[in-house]
Amino acid sequence: MDPQGVDTALKGVLGGKAAKALGDKLDLHTIGDLLRHYPRRYAKRGELTDLDELEVDENVTVLAEVERVNGRTIDRRGSKRMHLLEVTVTDGRGRLTLTFFNQSWRERELGVGTRALFAGKVTDFRGKRQLAHPDYVKLHGDDASAEQVVDDYAGKLIPIYPAGGGLQSWTIASCVKLALEAVGDPPDPIPSDVRASRALLDLRQAFVAIHRPEEWDDVNAGRRRFRFEEAFVLQTELALRRLAARSLPAKPRVPKPDGLLAAFDSRLPFQLTEGQVSIGEELLHDLAQTHPMQRLLQGEVGSGKTVIAVRAMLAVVDAGGQAVILAPTEVLAQQHHRSITALLGPLAERGLLGGSDQGTRVALLTGSQGTPARRRALLDAASADAGIVVGTHALLEDKVQFADLGLVVVDEQHRFGVEQRAALTQKAGDTPPHVLVMTATPIPRTVAMTVFGDLEISTLTELPRGRSTIQTNVVPAAEKPGWLDRTWERVREEVSNGRQIYIVCPRIGESAADEDASSPPAEDSGRPQAVAVLDVAPMLEEGPLQGLRVEALHGRLAPDLKDQVMRRFAAGEIDVLVATTVIEVGVDVPNASTMIVMDADWFGVSQLHQLRGRVGRGQYPGLCLLVTNAAAGTPSRVRLDAVASTVDGFELSRLDLEQRREGDVLGADQSGRRSSLRMLSMIRDESLIREAREDASAIAEADSTLSHHPTLASAVRSLLDDSQAEFLAKS
Ligand code: ADP
Ligand code: MG
C-alpha cells in the first residue's frame, strides 16, 4: 500500500469493523485522529502498576500478577447455583480482586504467577476494590491475537490508551500499529526551521516516539513536540488576530492639552501611583494610533484601575468622542456611576447651573431603570450630551446608540465574552472603537498569553500608598466554637469604633431555585447545605449582633432596592451587610474594615481573594475571617489556609489554576470529547508557550495569509472548527 496521509479514513487501513468501532466509540475517524489519540500512561514489563492509586469508578488498564485463585460454587436462594471465580492480583504490595461468574475455565488460564494487562471499571465491594469481569491479555499468552501486539513490546514501554466503549487498550494499540505502518511522512504543521531551532521531533518521529517508545526519553521528546505544536497553532491564530486588529482603521483620539483630562487631574484628591501614571501614558499613546487599542489592564484588587479608565475616557471626550464603561453587575454599574460622577464633580454637570463649561455628563444605563430615566440616558448617549456612559449588559441592546463612540472599557472582564465586546464595537459605526479590558483576577502570564492572547497586556502591581494591609484568619467553627463567638464580639468592637462589616454567605436561602448566578452550585450529595443570607441575617440581628443595624443584600432583591441598600451602606447607615457574592467584584466602601465569609470552603480561591479585597480599602486595616467547618488537613481547609497565608493575587491565581483542570481554565468543555489542547498545561509549559508565541508571531508577520505554510493554515482551521476551541470565542 502507498503511504497514506493523516486524513485517510481508518476504514481503508484497518478494515471496516475496527474502523467502525473506533469511529462509534471514540469518535476517531482518520489516521490522524487515531495517531493523536495519545497513550495516557505507559506500563513497563517487569514493573507492575501501582494498585493503591486506583480509584473507584475509574476505568483502568493495569499490569499485575496473579497471586491467588479461588473458584467455588455458591447457592443463591431462589436461583440456580453459580460458579464464582475470585482472582487476586497484586503489584507486590496492593491488591485487587477480579471476579468472574460462571467462567470456571478461566481458573486454568489465570494460574498463580500469570502476568497480564487487566482492564475494567474499579468498583468497591465491601470496602475492597475489585474489577468485575475484566478483560485481560496475558503477557506471554499462547494464542496469537491481541497478545501479539503486547508481545511486540518486549522490553519496551507498553502504551496504555484511554479506552472506552468496550474498546480495550490493547485493541487500540493494534490499530495504532497498523496506522503507523500505513502513514507515510505526513506534512508537519511546524515548519522545519522552527523544529530545528527548538530541537523538536518531526511529526512522524513524534508519532513513533509516543506510540512505540523504546524508553522514557522517547515519550518525553514526543510529548514535548505535541505540546509545542498545540501552543504553536493556537499562538499562530492569536498572532493573526493581533495583526488583523492592527490593520483595522480607528480614529486617533488625542486630548486637548487644557481640556477635561487636565481639569480632572488637577482636582484629583490623591496622587496617582507610578503605575497609574505610566499605564495612563501607555493608554494615551494607544488612543492616538490609527488602529484600535486592544489592551488588557490587570491589577490587584484595590490597585486603582477605575481612575486609569476614567482618565482614558476623558481623553477621548476631550478629543470629541464618547466612552462607555461596561460593568458586570448592576451594583457595580451604579457604584461606578456614583464614584465617577463624584470624582468629576462640577466637570460632570455640563448644562447644569454651577457646572463647568468644558464639562460633560455621565449617563447610567441599566436593565432595571424606569422608562423615563432610561429614555433620558438613551437620548444622552445618542446626542453626545453624555461623554461617558456607564452601564450593564443593557448597553449591548440594539436600541442603544452613540453619536461617536471612541472607547469601550470592560470592567472585570472575566464575566464578559468576546461576543459582547463585539456587540459594543459595532455601535461605533464603521471604525471600531479602542478597547480597554480590566480585570482584578490576576492571571499568570501564560494564561493571559493564551486566553487573552489577542490583547496587549498592562499590569498594575502596586497599591496606592497608605493602603492598609489585610489580615486573614481561618475560623474553624467546628473545632473551636469559641472562636465564632469571638468573631461576633470582634464585629461589635469594629462597629463601636465606627467601622462597617460585610458578612458573606454562599446562599440566599428560602428558595433553592434561584440562587445568585455567582453563588457556588448547590451541592449534590452528602454535604450539608451552606448557610444562607436569609437565615444568617435575622439570626445575628436577634442574637449576637442585637442592636446593630444589620441588613441583607442579594440577587433576588429588586434592583432599585439593591442600589438603595448599597447606597445606605456606603453612607454609613448600615453597620453590617449580610450578602451573597453580589458584592464580590469592585464594591468600594473605604469605611468597611471587616469581611467575614461564612462556610468559606464553598468559595474558590480567586473568589475569596476578591471578597477580601472589599476591605482594607481606606485608612483602616482590613480583617478577613474565613469561617469553615472543614477539618484541618482536608483539601478545602488547605485552600483556605493558602488564602490566609498570602495577599498576592498572582500567587493565589496560580494555586487556583493548579487545583482546576486545564479545561476549566480555558472555559472549554471537557465532557470527554476530544480537545484541541490535549497535552499543553498552562502552568507546566510556561516557557514552551513563550517560545511558541515568539515563533508564531514571526511567522504571522512574515506570512499573514499563511499561504507559504499550508499545513499550519489547515491546523489553525481545524483548531477553529473544533468545538473545544470555544474558549477562543468566549475569551
Ligand atoms: P480596583 O483596581 O480594584 O478597581 P478602584 O479603582 O476601585 O480599585 O480603587 C480603589 C480605591 O482606591 C478607590 O476608592 C479609589 O478612589 C482609590 N484610589 C485609586 N487610586 C488611588 C491613589 N493613587 N491614591 C489613593 N487612592 C486611590
Ligand atoms: Mg474595579
Side-chain angles (χ1 to χ4, degrees):
M1 190 159 57
D2 288 337
Q4 301 292 311
V6 284
D7 293 330
T8 304
L10 285 170
K11 265 205 306 285
V13 185
L14 304 177
K17 197 163 153 244
K20 185 170 185 325
L22 289 170
D24 292 351
K25 308 267 166 62
L26 295 172
D27 200 21
L28 305 173
H29 305 282
T30 63
I31 290 186
D33 289 349
L34 179 57
L35 293 180
R36 285 174 183 279
H37 187 68
Y38 307 124
R40 172 172 292 155
R41 295 188 293 111
Y42 298 84
K44 190 158 186 183
R45 193 185 285 273
E47 287 172 21
L48 301 173
T49 310
D50 185 351
L51 297 179
D52 286 335
E53 273 180 11
L54 305 181
E55 285 180 27
V56 173
D57 281 347
E58 218 181 346
N59 274 307
V60 298
T61 304
V62 298
L63 178 53
E65 185 172 307
V66 175
E67 184 184 58
R68 195 153 43 90
V69 183
N70 175 15
R72 60 186 193 276
T73 306
I74 49 174
D75 283 317
R76 285 196 312 176
R77 207 178 312 153
S79 69
K80 281 195 299 211
R81 314 186 59 179
M82 66 193 306
H83 185 266
L84 169 65
L85 176 64
E86 282 185 327
V87 177
T88 307
V89 297
T90 178
D91 59 7
R93 289 182 303 136
R95 281 171 183 74
L96 195 62
T97 308
L98 319 176
T99 53
F100 300 91
F101 291 105
N102 291 336
Q103 298 188 339
S104 52
W105 52 273
R106 291 196 191 274
E107 201 166 338
R108 287 185 302 280
E109 214 179 85
L110 292 169
V112 171
T114 306
R115 285 192 169 197
L117 287 171
F118 299 95
K121 186 169 174 172
V122 182
T123 53
D124 179 90
F125 184 69
R126 298 193 178 143
K128 283 206 304 206
R129 284 166 314 158
Q130 65 171 29
L131 299 180
H133 280 244
D135 278 318
Y136 57 87
V137 45
K138 295 200 284 179
L139 290 192
H140 297 286
D142 322 313
D143 69 308
S145 54
E147 278 133 73
Q148 185 92 53
V149 177
V150 174
D151 261 355
D152 280 355
Y153 292 106
K156 302 182 197 170
L157 296 169
I158 304 171
I160 308 288
Y161 289 92
L167 274 178
Q168 295 310 344
S169 178
W170 47 85
T171 312
I172 298 169
S174 66
C175 295
V176 166
K177 186 182 176 198
L178 292 172
L180 267 179
E181 281 161 7
V183 78
D185 200 358
D188 194 331
I190 309 179
S192 55
D193 51 339
V194 173
R195 285 197 317 261
S197 77
R198 303 292 183 194
L200 297 166
L201 299 183
D202 72 26
L203 188 53
R204 174 167 182 92
Q205 291 167 331
F207 281 143
V208 172
I210 207 131
H211 291 293
R212 304 185 67 77
E214 298 273 344
E215 53 194 10
W216 281 109
D217 283 353
D218 299 332
V219 174
N220 292 335
R223 284 183 172 161
R224 180 162 162 271
R225 183 242 134 83
F226 287 117
R227 285 180 189 137
F228 187 92
E229 181 185 324
E230 285 171 16
F232 177 70
V233 172
L234 177 57
Q235 292 298 337
T236 301
E237 167 62 14
L238 295 171
L240 292 173
R241 287 187 186 191
R242 284 194 301 274
L243 272 181
R246 241 188 288 156
S247 68
L248 287 174
K251 241 198 230 178
R253 309 278 179 172
V254 181
K256 295 193 286 257
D258 52 356
L260 267 172
L261 177 57
F264 175 82
D265 282 348
S266 67
R267 50 166 281 131
L268 253 184
F270 46 72
Q271 203 180 352
L272 295 173
T273 63
E274 257 168 56
Q276 285 172 321
V277 172
S278 67
I279 293 175
E281 273 159 17
E282 214 164 29
L283 297 185
L284 287 185
H285 173 265
D286 284 3
L287 291 171
Q289 304 307 305
T290 53
H291 57 82
M293 169 169 84
Q294 302 264 11
R295 191 168 282 278
L296 171 72
L297 168 55
Q298 53 173 343
E300 191 54 87
V301 177
S303 56
K305 294 182 292 294
T306 316
V307 178
I308 295 183
V310 171
R311 294 185 68 241
M313 293 195 284
L314 290 175
V316 170
V317 175
D318 271 342
Q322 292 169 288
V324 303
I325 178 163
L326 191 55
T329 65
E330 194 113 4
V331 168
L332 197 53
Q334 271 149 351
Q335 177 189 283
H336 273 324
H337 182 251
R338 272 198 304 277
S339 64
I340 292 172
T341 309
L343 275 172
L344 285 168
L347 299 176
E349 297 170 2
R350 189 177 63 186
L352 300 180
L353 217 56
S356 153
D357 300 342
Q358 61 177 170
T360 185
R361 278 222 292 268
V362 183
L364 173 68
L365 205 104
T366 68
S368 64
Q369 275 171 323
T371 315
R374 183 178 175 74
R375 194 174 290 145
R376 178 73 201 275
L378 285 172
L379 211 63
D380 277 354
S383 69
D385 276 350
I388 295 178
V389 182
V390 182
T392 55
H393 291 84
L395 275 174
L396 306 175
E397 287 164 21
D398 287 342
K399 284 193 289 273
V400 184
Q401 281 173 354
F402 297 90
D404 180 13
L405 182 58
L407 170 64
V408 173
V409 179
V410 182
D411 196 14
E412 302 304 348
Q413 152 75 15
H414 61 288
R415 302 208 178 170
F416 276 110
V418 154
E419 298 102 40
Q420 279 122 339
R421 267 197 264 157
L424 265 177
T425 294
Q426 275 155 18
K427 296 188 185 296
D430 298 336
T431 49
H434 300 280
V435 176
L436 175 66
V437 171
M438 305 200 290
T439 175
T441 306
I443 28 185
R445 262 203 84 76
T446 43
V447 179
M449 279 190 306
T450 306
V451 181
F452 298 109
D454 56 339
L455 304 176
E456 310 289 336
I457 300 165
S458 303
T459 303
L460 199 53
T461 47
E462 78 205 292
L463 295 183
R465 228 170 320 181
R467 191 56 61 72
S468 316
T469 53
I470 304 170
Q471 154 92 29
T472 306
N473 293 330
V474 176
V475 178
E479 292 153 38
K480 311 220 162 115
W483 289 22
L484 198 55
D485 299 336
R486 177 70 193 111
T487 299
W488 307 130
E489 273 168 39
R490 181 64 191 258
V491 169
R492 300 192 76 96
E493 285 162 24
E494 289 292 322
V495 172
S496 68
N497 287 331
R499 302 289 81 73
Q500 290 163 282
I501 319 298
Y502 297 102
I503 299 178
V504 172
C505 303
R507 294 170 48 235
I508 302 176
E510 279 178 5
S511 147
D514 49 350
E515 295 292 296
D516 277 6
S518 55
S519 299
E523 194 57 359
D524 32 23
S525 67
R527 193 173 178 190
Q529 266 198 329
V531 298
V533 169
L534 295 178
D535 301 326
V536 169
M539 183 275 282
L540 291 175
E541 209 174 356
E542 289 153 25
L545 301 186
Q546 210 164 34
L548 303 190
R549 296 169 300 177
V550 179
E551 298 235 5
L553 179 70
H554 56 77
R556 281 212 305 269
L557 288 181
D560 50 339
L561 209 60
K562 246 189 287 186
D563 186 40
Q564 207 187 67
V565 172
M566 218 36 238
R567 260 174 213 273
R568 286 172 43 232
F569 187 69
E573 295 165 18
I574 295 171
D575 301 315
V576 179
L577 193 62
V578 184
T580 54
T581 51
V582 289
I583 59 146
E584 179 191 356
V585 290
V587 168
D588 184 29
V589 178
N591 190 49
S593 64
T594 305
M595 162 68 58
I596 297 170
V597 185
M598 305 299 292
D599 281 331
D601 46 293
W602 284 68
F603 299 98
V605 168
S606 297
Q607 220 173 4
L608 291 170
H609 184 59
Q610 273 287 338
L611 283 169
R612 141 174 89 177
R614 301 307 108 216
V615 297
R617 297 175 77 84
Q619 69 209 88
Y620 312 108
L623 173 67
C624 174
L625 299 175
L626 305 174
V627 179
T628 181
N629 290 318
T634 58
S636 302
R637 185 65 175 280
V638 169
R639 227 154 24 93
L640 298 182
D641 291 338
V643 174
S645 70
T646 176
V647 286
D648 181 341
F650 283 88
E651 180 62 37
L652 287 171
S653 74
R654 234 186 137 80
L655 195 117
D656 208 9
L657 272 180
E658 278 163 16
Q659 295 198 336
R660 289 191 281 170
R661 292 183 314 174
E662 291 305 320
D664 302 334
V665 173
L666 298 172
D669 168 15
Q670 291 277 298
S671 57
R673 282 183 291 156
R674 273 178 295 135
S675 155
S676 47
L677 299 186
R678 275 178 274 183
M679 286 213 171
L680 197 64
S681 154
M682 293 299 139
I683 293 171
R684 183 192 55 211
D685 299 326
E686 190 164 335
S687 61
L688 189 139
I689 293 174
R690 196 171 311 118
E691 291 170 2
R693 181 178 168 100
E694 267 167 37
D695 295 343
S697 302
I699 284 170
E701 300 267 353
D703 180 17
S704 66
T705 56
L706 296 185
S707 51
H708 300 294
H709 298 85
T711 314
L712 176 56
S714 82
V716 169
R717 267 196 308 279
S718 60
L719 171 72
L720 297 176
D721 289 345
D722 193 334
S723 63
Q724 296 292 318
E726 269 168 33
F727 65 89
L728 273 176
K730 280 190 186 143
S731 63

